[in-house]
Amino acid sequence: MTRWVDGYALGTFSDETRVFAGIVSGDRVLPLDSVGPVVTPTTVRDLLEHWDVVGPRVQELATTFDRDQSLPLEGLAVLAPLEPRQIIQVGANYRSHVAQVVISDRAPGDTRSDEELRRYADETMDELKRSGKPFFFTGLPSAVCGPDDDVLLPAEAKRVDWEVELAVVIGATAHRVPAERAMEYVAGYTVCNDISARDLQFSPEHKPLGGDWLRAKNRPTFLPTGPFVVPAELVPDYRQLELTLDLNGERKQSDLPANLLYDVPALIAAASQAALLYPGDLLLTGSPAGNGGFWQQWLQPGDVMEAGIAGIGYQHNTCQAEPR
């Protein structure tokens, strides 16, 4: 797909002979191994591990782009922008998603109207925001694939769906960070699509235990990531970035992070109370309403997902049956 980057971003690319980190601006990519040692070795995660030092150098290179040293983006394979050590994910964090779940999961005999249930969900979420805590779970880096890679559907899963998410890229080691300082630890943002096999996640044998998150969410290719990491200083307000997901050209999800139940500072503060966060870690902030469970539509071989965030980038992933 055709891509264009306003300002600059970081990514990982392949030209069929090598894999390299680069700065992308407009429709050109500057390989970082061609401009002298910014940091050694030069991967996007290596850059983030020294971001306080190399960030200004990367910004300088981006603003003095040498076209003769750069490559056309169109001729390169765009890979997942980085290999995270850790992936921390958040469940039920969009007001629209929670309300949708409350309405669709109404108990038999519940005579409340959709509007009454929506008001109940709003009241519940308001109370959670005042006194509750985010619901976290962890992902495996082995599930990550690139923004243009095929998503492989396992034969044993019949109900596989999608969830577009804004992913925060951590830029400094964080532990017990207060919310008021949390944004200091954000290096940038990228796009993730949290693919889930729902029939494996909540099978009857595991539902009393809370579900099987490994088999449902951490299969190879179940986390398309990228295309790029957009530095935080180039994002004036992450809350106004529109998230969308189209399936075979039909809009399934659309929302703004302004509607997060727990915002990015609250998530970083809560996650860093429980775990040590490292540069390059991904913190997925949750997905809005409109996944496959709501539509009762499940991914099939040949389906095409286009997940994206305005100002951050877009993915184009085709579903294929997993080879047996």
Side-chain angles (χ1 to χ4, degrees):
M1 65 183 301
T2 301
R3 292 189 169 101
W4 177 277
V5 173
D6 292 323
Y8 73 97
L10 299 172
T12 302
F13 308 91
S14 172
D15 62 2
E16 296 185 353
T17 63
R18 62 186 177 125
V19 172
F20 59 92
I23 301 171
V24 56
S25 182
D27 61 353
R28 307 286 294 185
V29 176
L30 178 66
L32 285 171
D33 57 9
S34 70
V35 294
V38 178
V39 64
T40 304
T42 304
T43 68
V44 171
R45 197 175 83 186
D46 294 324
L47 295 173
L48 295 172
E49 288 176 347
H50 303 85
W51 193 241
D52 57 337
V53 175
V54 305
R57 173 61 173 152
V58 169
Q59 186 176 24
E60 177 189 356
L61 289 169
T63 56
T64 59
F65 219 85
D66 187 337
R67 193 170 182 86
D68 292 337
Q69 290 181 302
S70 68
L71 302 170
L73 175 58
E74 187 176 10
L76 301 173
V78 180
L79 310 182
L82 78 165
E83 296 181 4
R85 281 191 187 87
Q86 302 180 126
I87 301 170
I88 297 176
Q89 298 179 243
V90 183
N93 198 36
Y94 271 84
R95 301 182 75 92
S96 60
H97 191 189
V98 174
Q100 196 172 79
V101 169
V102 168
I103 293 169
S104 61
D105 287 355
R106 77 172 75 217
D110 189 336
T111 60
R112 288 175 293 179
S113 67
D114 286 358
E115 186 56 37
E116 288 173 321
L117 287 170
R118 192 171 289 109
R119 285 199 299 270
Y120 166 75
D122 284 339
E123 292 167 1
T124 301
M125 286 184 283
D126 288 341
E127 179 58 32
L128 282 173
K129 188 169 184 177
R130 283 192 297 270
S131 59
K133 297 179 178 62
F135 173 74
F136 291 116
F137 57 97
T138 56
L140 295 180
S142 59
V144 170
C145 72
D148 301 318
D149 290 343
D150 289 345
V151 169
L152 303 180
L153 305 177
E156 63 269 33
K158 305 303 180 186
R159 296 186 174 188
V160 180
D161 71 358
W162 58 85
E163 288 181 322
V164 62
E165 305 199 24
L166 173 69
V168 174
V169 183
I170 300 298
T173 302
H175 188 225
R176 298 192 180 278
V177 174
E180 57 268 21
R181 292 191 54 214
M183 297 304 289
E184 299 172 20
Y185 293 81
V186 177
Y189 303 93
T190 192
V191 184
C192 284
N193 184 1
D194 178 26
I195 309 296
S196 302
R198 301 300 182 185
D199 45 350
L200 303 183
Q201 184 176 358
F202 299 119
S203 62
E205 62 182 314
H206 293 130
K207 195 166 186 178
L209 302 175
D212 189 333
W213 300 80
L214 175 66
R215 292 199 305 156
K217 287 180 172 284
N218 286 288
R219 294 175 177 271
T221 74
F222 266 31
L223 194 65
T225 300
F228 313 119
V229 174
V230 176
E233 63 265 22
L234 299 184
V235 180
D237 186 354
Y238 75 87
R239 295 169 298 181
Q240 300 305 317
L241 302 173
E242 184 185 17
L243 288 77
T244 58
L245 188 140
D246 294 349
L247 178 64
N248 300 326
E250 182 179 351
R251 183 63 44 91
K252 297 297 185 181
Q253 292 185 285
S254 178
D255 211 329
L256 298 173
N259 295 317
L260 288 170
L261 181 57
Y262 300 103
D263 62 12
V264 168
L267 293 175
I268 292 174
S272 70
Q273 292 293 317
L276 190 61
L277 308 184
Y278 293 102
D281 285 354
L282 294 180
L283 173 59
L284 278 62
T285 57
S287 187
N291 64 1
F294 169 75
W295 296 104
Q296 287 298 293
Q297 184 174 1
W298 311 106
L299 295 173
Q300 304 294 325
D303 283 349
V304 176
M305 295 178 290
E306 294 182 311
I309 302 177
I312 305 297
Y314 293 85
Q315 306 174 349
H316 184 96
N317 301 98
T318 301
C319 297
Q320 303 288 354
E322 183 179 52
R324 304 189 72 176

